[in-house]
Amino acid sequence: MITIVDIQLRLREAINTSQLSKTEIANKLGVNPSTISRYLHANKFPSLDTFANLCKILDVSSDEILGLK
């Protein structure tokens, strides 16, 4: 079963290995940096288009983040 906690963990790992700051990621997505923190620590998931763009920015597949790969 896929849980939000597992997704957050994989997303955190992808951000940490991306060499981009949360602020840089937020700027590229056009969101507030606190929104990125909510994706990582609260039960908030980005919209589908934001999630797709986030994966593109982090150069990671959505399957990896969702734990399908």
Side-chain angles (χ1 to χ4, degrees):
M1 181 185 291
I2 299 169
T3 68
I4 189 74
V5 173
D6 294 331
I7 293 170
Q8 288 171 329
L9 177 64
R10 287 187 289 272
L11 192 53
R12 242 187 318 274
E13 289 172 6
I15 288 172
N16 288 339
T17 60
S18 73
Q19 298 183 356
L20 294 170
S21 71
K22 291 176 189 154
T23 301
E24 290 172 313
I25 294 167
N27 288 338
K28 288 177 183 259
L29 285 174
V31 299
N32 192 299
S34 65
T35 301
I36 302 298
S37 290
R38 279 188 237 126
Y39 295 157
L40 300 176
H41 302 290
N43 285 337
K44 180 166 176 63
F45 194 77
S47 65
L48 188 55
D49 59 331
T50 301
F51 177 67
N53 288 322
L54 181 57
C55 289
K56 193 173 197 175
I57 290 166
L58 296 174
D59 193 28
V60 65
S61 76
S62 58
D63 283 356
E64 287 181 58
I65 299 298
L66 294 174
L68 301 174
K69 189 173 183 182

